[in-house]
Amino acid sequence: MKLTDILTPGFNAGEWEAKGYQLPKFDYEAVAKKTHDQPTWVHFGGGNIFRAFPAAILNDALNTGKYDRGVIVAETFDFEVIDKAYAPYHNLSLLVSLQSSGTIEKKVIASVTEALKADYQFDDWKRLVEIFRNPSLQMISFTITEKGYTFNDADLARGLKPVLAMGKVCALLYERWQAGQLPLTVQSMDNCSHNGDKVRAGVFAYAERWAADGLVPQAFIEYLKDESKITFPWSMIDKITPRPHVKVKELLAADGFEDNNYIETEKHTFTAPFVNAEEVQYLVIEDHYTNGRPPLDLGGALYTTRQTVDQVETMKVTTCLNPLHTAMSIYGCMLGYTLISAEMADDDIRAFIQKIGYIEAMPVVTDPGVLNPYEFIGAVINRRLPNPFMPDAPQRIAMDTSQKLPIRFGETIKKYIARGLDMGNLVLIPLTLAGYARYLKGIQDDGTPFTPSPDPMLDELQAIVAPLEVGKADQDYSCLRQLYSRADVFGLDLYEAGLGEQIEGMVRELYAGPGAVRATLHKYVSAR
């Protein structure tokens, strides 16, 4: 069983379907021909998240029979991905959805019709120019990670042949302007706040530099600013797509599916002909398009306003997912866990994050309407975090914790204050922040040392709690005021917020000695 089998004459679908493989319901060759002649969507970034999510929901849209165009992939960074993960398989891939029940679902994704190397050194660049000059093009999108939107003086100085992604996109937009000021929507699908603004900033950095250097006319800048021509909508995307999993490889091999080899490029991109990903996914997009759009809503995407996208992101980042991740990672490291899924079998930790979400953070959530906050948390606790296929570790989640605390917890506390809510309702969020002072010591609950995860402020914050010793009675905890008054770490001065003394008391309990972390966690979670 190989992916390219499905494109061969006389293909026997029965064997695949009998083994649980969902096959495309549309005519791939017809879709590929229409997409080549009248492309509507180019996506930059051919990695695992793209194949597991945007490409997959387009595949679902095509399966409805209500749409007839695929997506063209353009890779700006790691060109080996095109050579090794796309070309040998005629751009097909296998999506393996990892269920929290421990089972898998398998679906062949055939929505990608071309895969191009987005760089001037390749002939593919000519094809990209041709596509950008085609009036049919509606949208370009991105999953290139937040780092992909960066630019620097050296690349800006390269003129119309830049190396970085945003420069290449700007050069292609200039081609579209030259072709008649054709409209287009520039849509980020990366997991970062206000992602459309990041694309816009990158594109304008190049366009304005080129205009200043006399390489492009000022009219090109006006074209980019004209929202009847070019838009940069926001979106919120949420789906975990880990590296190819050894268990998945083994399950596919047992089926007789041969395209199960691992691929690691020289740039250390880890991929495979198959993509494994969690079952739960969300894509909420600001509906601000200038030339029409592919109907991704047929595959489950939600189109809405910019304000609603912002509310969904705020709900996720400050209440329904990110704070729960951070709380369980801090305590998971101290309790010796190395898997998030294993933590979810711990009654104290499960109840800890459940009560943070439902009881303490929920009162300040703005319901965005398109996604129910209670259902979102329910999916996190019951399906996402316990998923045995997800090899995520508390040590990874705990990276850069000092940068996360202001948003994930500080914003909730600020809203309690702004709305005049009862601060006495906050117990487990303070316990999370108290746990951070204990985590910084790098000593597990059983007394063995551990290395706190990388963090730009780690040395500075560890120095503050250095005078404290685990298990030492009657010690001076006055250093804690220096820590918990830090608005740059917690988003506000926790003493001014009325929580400082409460947190100090919890820290004293956590430092009492071996077993104190478990005892303190259990005490407050049970009482809550």
Side-chain angles (χ1 to χ4, degrees):
M1 296 171 63
K2 296 182 178 181
L3 284 168
T4 52
D5 290 348
I6 72 168
L7 301 179
T8 59
F11 167 64
N12 181 10
E15 179 186 6
W16 290 64
E17 291 172 346
K19 294 180 179 180
Y21 288 77
Q22 300 176 40
L23 300 173
K25 299 177 182 178
F26 54 91
D27 184 335
Y28 174 83
E29 296 297 345
V31 168
K33 177 67 166 61
K34 288 183 178 179
T35 307
H36 181 276
D37 295 344
Q38 293 185 310
T40 55
W41 179 15
V42 172
H43 183 87
F44 290 87
N48 294 334
I49 182 63
F50 163 69
R51 293 190 292 160
F53 199 178
I57 61 176
L58 179 62
N59 197 82
D60 290 345
L62 290 166
N63 280 338
T64 68
K66 298 178 181 179
Y67 193 58
D68 60 2
R69 311 294 165 82
V71 58
I72 298 166
V73 169
E75 177 59 42
T76 62
F77 173 68
D78 194 340
F79 306 121
E80 273 189 272
V81 169
I82 302 298
D83 292 332
K84 295 183 177 179
Y86 283 88
Y89 311 101
H90 207 69
N91 304 321
L92 302 171
S93 62
L94 181 71
L95 170 59
V96 181
S97 293
L98 311 174
Q99 312 291 305
S100 56
S101 62
T103 60
I104 63 174
E105 292 183 354
K106 299 161 287 192
K107 181 187 296 185
V108 175
I109 305 301
S111 57
V112 179
T113 59
E114 290 181 72
L116 306 173
K117 300 175 183 178
D119 195 85
Y120 309 94
Q121 64 180 302
F122 303 111
D123 289 340
D124 288 354
W125 185 259
K126 295 177 183 178
R127 171 61 179 151
L128 276 170
V129 170
E130 176 185 274
I131 293 168
F132 269 74
R133 284 177 164 266
N134 194 320
S136 66
L137 186 63
Q138 298 174 332
M139 175 177 80
I140 61 172
S141 60
F142 307 85
T143 51
I144 55 177
T145 77
E146 190 166 1
K147 294 178 181 177
Y149 300 104
T150 58
F151 50 89
N152 56 49
D153 288 341
D155 206 51
L156 291 170
R158 289 177 59 89
L160 296 177
K161 289 196 174 182
V163 171
L164 300 179
M166 289 297 96
K168 294 174 182 179
V169 169
C170 188
L172 290 167
L173 288 172
Y174 184 50
E175 295 284 352
R176 193 159 182 80
W177 176 82
Q178 290 179 306
Q181 302 182 39
L182 300 173
L184 187 68
T185 291
V186 183
Q187 176 71 70
S188 174
M189 294 181 180
D190 269 301
N191 184 21
C192 50
S193 179
H194 301 172
N195 49 21
D197 290 351
K198 290 179 168 52
V199 187
R200 189 180 192 279
V203 167
F204 271 85
Y206 285 91
E208 290 172 350
R209 174 63 180 268
W210 296 346
D213 291 347
L215 299 176
V216 301
Q218 184 63 31
F220 176 54
I221 306 295
E222 299 307 314
Y223 162 73
L224 296 176
K225 290 180 178 179
D226 183 352
E227 292 197 0
S228 71
K229 298 289 188 181
I230 303 293
T231 56
F232 300 87
W234 295 0
S235 70
M236 190 287 292
I237 189 169
D238 185 18
K239 186 180 182 73
I240 298 173
T241 309
R243 293 178 181 178
H245 197 293
V246 62
K247 187 175 180 180
V248 173
K249 176 182 172 71
E250 292 168 354
L251 289 170
L252 297 178
D255 282 343
F257 183 79
E258 296 181 31
D259 293 332
N260 56 37
N261 54 298
Y262 293 142
I263 299 168
E264 180 182 357
T265 69
E266 289 186 4
K267 292 185 176 180
H268 303 295
T269 299
F270 295 89
T271 186
F274 67 91
V275 182
N276 45 230
E278 67 169 334
E279 59 185 304
V280 180
Q281 60 188 30
Y282 305 95
L283 180 57
V284 185
I285 304 173
E286 177 189 353
D287 195 358
H288 190 23
Y289 289 75
T290 60
N291 196 33
R293 56 171 167 75
L296 298 185
D297 47 330
L298 293 176
L302 299 173
Y303 289 101
T304 185
T305 64
R306 173 170 289 199
Q307 180 183 19
T308 302
V309 172
D310 196 34
Q311 289 171 344
V312 170
E313 183 181 338
T314 300
M315 178 190 78
K316 169 194 166 187
V317 172
T318 66
T319 302
C320 296
L321 176 60
N322 297 28
L324 313 188
H325 249 160
T326 291
M328 70 188 303
S329 71
I330 290 172
Y331 278 85
C333 289
M334 293 190 290
L335 293 172
Y337 284 103
T338 56
L339 281 176
I340 291 292
S341 57
E343 283 193 71
M344 291 304 291
D346 185 310
D347 290 341
D348 286 333
I349 290 179
R350 185 183 181 93
F352 179 40
I353 64 170
Q354 187 167 330
K355 291 177 178 180
I356 286 176
Y358 283 125
I359 298 176
E360 300 194 7
M362 194 63 75
V364 298
V365 167
T366 298
D367 186 341
V370 295
L371 290 176
N372 183 288
Y374 290 92
E375 293 177 359
F376 195 106
I377 290 183
V380 168
I381 292 173
N382 298 315
R383 297 166 63 193
R384 304 184 72 179
L385 298 180
N387 194 320
F389 284 108
M390 292 292 112
D392 217 347
Q395 291 75 19
R396 187 191 74 82
I397 303 298
M399 291 176 61
D400 304 328
T401 294
S402 69
Q403 312 299 295
K404 299 170 180 176
L405 293 173
I407 299 297
R408 299 186 179 190
F409 298 101
E411 289 303 309
T412 293
I413 297 170
K414 288 178 184 178
K415 289 176 182 176
Y416 264 76
I417 296 170
R419 300 180 188 182
L421 299 177
D422 181 8
M423 298 293 283
N425 190 48
L426 297 177
V427 176
L428 301 183
I429 287 178
L431 183 64
T432 301
L433 304 182
Y436 190 51
R438 176 67 170 74
Y439 164 89
L440 288 169
K441 291 301 294 185
I443 299 175
Q444 291 185 6
D445 198 27
D446 63 4
T448 59
F450 73 91
T451 302
S453 301
D455 187 305
M457 299 183 74
L458 182 61
D459 292 343
E460 178 184 353
L461 299 180
Q462 283 187 311
I464 294 175
V465 300
L468 302 180
E469 297 180 32
V470 175
K472 182 179 180 181
D474 301 322
Q475 60 183 318
D476 181 6
Y477 285 90
S478 60
C479 62
L480 293 177
R481 182 167 287 272
Q482 184 182 351
L483 176 64
Y484 289 112
S485 61
R486 294 279 297 264
D488 59 332
V489 178
F490 300 100
L492 72 172
D493 183 325
L494 291 166
Y495 292 93
E496 292 179 359
L499 296 174
E501 287 75 13
Q502 175 188 4
I503 294 171
E504 276 192 24
M506 293 173 166
V507 174
R508 291 172 184 265
E509 294 180 63
L510 290 166
Y511 268 87
V517 173
R518 170 64 69 181
T520 305
L521 176 64
H522 182 75
K523 169 188 169 181
Y524 285 101
V525 168
S526 299
R528 196 72 180 90

